Amino acid sequence: MSDQKRLKVTEVEDVAVVEFKDRKILDDVQIQEIGQEFNDLVEVDKRRSILLNFSHVEFLSSSALGKLISLDKQVKQQDGHLKMSNIRPEIMEVFAITRLNKLFDIKDDVPDALAAFRG
């Protein structure tokens, strides 16, 4: 697995469970690094089932949303599945305003999301 500075990746069955190491995802350099790590997950590590766990994330900038959209497209192009879980209400509100809650497959918590990969 490639070296991860911004993301912690663990394996649960055949799902890459990704936790963000940063609580605030606001800085452009940080967001570029996250984007590169997302790209490596799909292109280098050939991950097809990815769960983004937002339990540590308190703030997310609009440019970080762009990286999430790009990751979603990349995963779908590889016939993979991207799910998200543990999103705080404030961030969920942003997803709702931007209608990203319709694009992304969002579950309440990690067990729900993992079950959805199997179901």
Side-chain angles (χ1 to χ4, degrees):
M1 191 170 290
S2 50
D3 186 35
Q4 305 288 333
K5 279 174 58 177
R6 300 286 180 184
L7 306 174
K8 177 184 172 205
V9 182
T10 53
E11 181 100 16
V12 178
E13 294 173 20
D14 63 341
V15 178
V17 179
V18 179
E19 288 181 68
F20 296 86
K21 293 181 181 176
D22 301 294
R23 291 197 170 282
K24 298 177 182 178
I25 303 173
L26 303 169
D27 177 77
D28 282 342
V29 171
Q30 175 190 34
I31 292 164
Q32 291 305 319
E33 289 172 349
I34 288 170
Q36 185 57 54
E37 290 180 32
F38 282 166
N39 187 62
D40 290 350
L41 273 174
V42 178
E43 301 299 329
V44 178
D45 299 337
K46 304 294 185 201
R47 303 314 309 235
R48 298 294 170 260
S49 298
I50 299 173
L51 166 57
L52 299 182
N53 177 355
F54 283 84
S55 59
H56 298 299
V57 180
E58 295 172 0
F59 297 101
L60 199 62
S61 77
S62 57
S63 49
L65 295 177
K67 294 296 178 194
L68 296 175
I69 294 166
S70 296
L71 175 63
D72 186 62
K73 283 183 188 169
Q74 260 187 307
V75 170
K76 286 176 179 168
Q77 285 172 347
Q78 304 295 332
D79 290 323
H81 302 281
L82 174 69
K83 299 189 187 309
M84 300 180 185
S85 73
N86 301 79
I87 298 175
R88 291 175 191 261
E90 317 77 87
I91 296 174
M92 197 62 192
E93 194 175 313
V94 174
F95 280 24
I97 290 167
T98 57
R99 297 191 181 277
L100 290 176
N101 60 329
K102 305 286 187 217
L103 173 69
F104 298 134
D105 188 355
I106 301 171
K107 304 297 180 195
D108 288 338
D109 55 31
V110 170
D112 280 354
L114 289 172
F117 278 107
R118 292 189 288 276

